[in-house]
Amino acid sequence: MRPVPTEEPPAAEAGAMPAIAGASPEVDCPPGPGWWLVVCSGLFCATATVAFGIAPSPLIDWASHAASSLATTI
């Protein structure tokens, strides 16, 4: 059985905020040069999800043709 520590953790500085509250230095940095790539790929994936959710037949047809090409009989 381990002994229970008797020391208390050091108190935080007055006015200091934890990183979870938005005080992390990464938040204060301007976006990097590739931010548009992240935004565009997110928008593309969201658009594809909505489009194939509304009309899934092109995706199902493509998968069916792909499966039939793999399952050829000799």
Side-chain angles (χ1 to χ4, degrees):
M1 187 172 184
R2 292 194 300 179
V4 178
T6 57
E7 296 180 16
E8 293 185 22
E13 298 176 11
M17 294 180 355
I20 197 167
S24 104
E26 291 86 9
V27 175
D28 297 333
C29 296
W35 69 269
W36 59 271
L37 184 62
V38 174
V39 171
C40 290
S41 62
L43 288 174
F44 174 77
C45 290
T47 303
T49 301
V50 170
F52 287 127
I54 293 171
S57 61
L59 187 61
I60 293 171
D61 291 341
W62 176 78
S64 175
H65 291 298
S68 67
S69 71
L70 292 175
T72 57
T73 58
I74 297 177

